[in-house]
Amino acid sequence: PGVGTAEPRDSTMVRLTLDRPLDTAFVVTAALFTLKAADSSVAPIAAVLTQGDVDRMAADSARTKAIQDSVQRAARADSIRRVDSTRTVVAPTRPTGRRPGAQTGPPSAPVPDSPPSPPAKPASAIPYTTLYLQLALPLKPATSYRLRARDLRSISGAIRTSERVFTTPRAATRPDSGGARRDTGTVRRD
């Protein structure tokens, strides 16, 4: 497979789209790729990630954020409960006319004895056509880079080397603060 597109996701990650799927038994390493700027300086590649790796990292990040949010909510609720416990007065309950434990609506559905089985997993790995290069140093803005992928093996067994040139976007500029300065109405006398 050859590199179809190379696009920077941010200053330390480049997304590669291959024109054919890689062999599932082929081990992709950073040594198979070189990235050089127009001045021939080498941009070191720290790791090569698959789409599954990136999805897993995003899910782990979301899970970690959810856990942190849950811990913060629990701590906040606990501190509120502690403050409220000093002034909480339990009101007497009114009789409802029903016997204790009686249901108020229709009977609920029976609970199954065993949890549902997880979805079936494929017997072999799914071939992928998207790779991510994690860079050790950030890319320079508005710079052309040449990516070389050596000896990538496709699902049919064909081995190919390919190159792709891409340019990083310009650095974000600060928006203009509104044009010319306002006249303050004061006269400066020297």
Side-chain angles (χ1 to χ4, degrees):
V3 177
T5 61
E7 54 190 50
R9 297 270 315 251
D10 57 36
S11 63
T12 60
M13 180 90 66
V14 177
R15 180 178 189 243
L16 307 180
T17 305
L18 306 175
D19 58 2
R20 290 183 186 85
L22 285 174
D23 184 358
T24 56
F26 183 68
V27 178
V28 183
T29 63
L32 298 173
F33 299 92
T34 54
L35 185 60
K36 291 185 179 182
D39 64 357
S40 297
S41 61
V42 175
I45 299 169
V48 179
L49 307 170
T50 64
Q51 184 67 51
D53 296 333
V54 172
D55 291 345
R56 229 179 337 277
M57 286 171 31
D60 289 346
S61 175
R63 191 176 310 112
T64 301
K65 175 81 171 115
I67 289 170
Q68 289 172 349
D69 289 348
S70 175
V71 168
Q72 287 175 350
R73 275 193 308 274
R76 196 175 311 118
D78 188 43
S79 65
I80 291 170
R81 194 175 322 117
R82 253 186 269 131
V83 169
D84 285 348
S85 68
T86 59
R87 56 189 151 114
T88 302
V89 177
V90 178
T93 58
R94 287 184 1 184
T96 60
R98 295 191 183 109
R99 63 174 200 243
Q103 292 184 353
T104 59
S108 60
V111 178
D113 292 338
S114 62
S117 60
K121 294 193 178 196
S124 61
I126 299 172
Y128 41 85
T129 58
T130 304
L131 297 174
Y132 293 85
L133 301 181
Q134 181 70 52
L135 306 175
L137 299 172
L139 297 174
K140 298 173 193 166
T143 306
S144 290
Y145 287 90
R146 178 176 298 276
L147 173 72
R148 180 180 171 100
R150 293 183 307 104
D151 304 330
L152 297 180
R153 187 172 64 223
S154 72
I155 205 163
S156 65
I159 297 175
R160 182 173 165 200
T161 297
S162 70
E163 291 186 357
R164 180 67 55 192
V165 176
F166 67 93
T167 304
T168 56
R170 293 188 182 281
T173 58
R174 293 185 180 178
D176 192 7
S177 62
R181 290 187 179 181
R182 270 184 356 170
D183 184 14
T184 60
T186 59
V187 178
R188 185 173 173 193
R189 298 188 192 256
D190 290 323

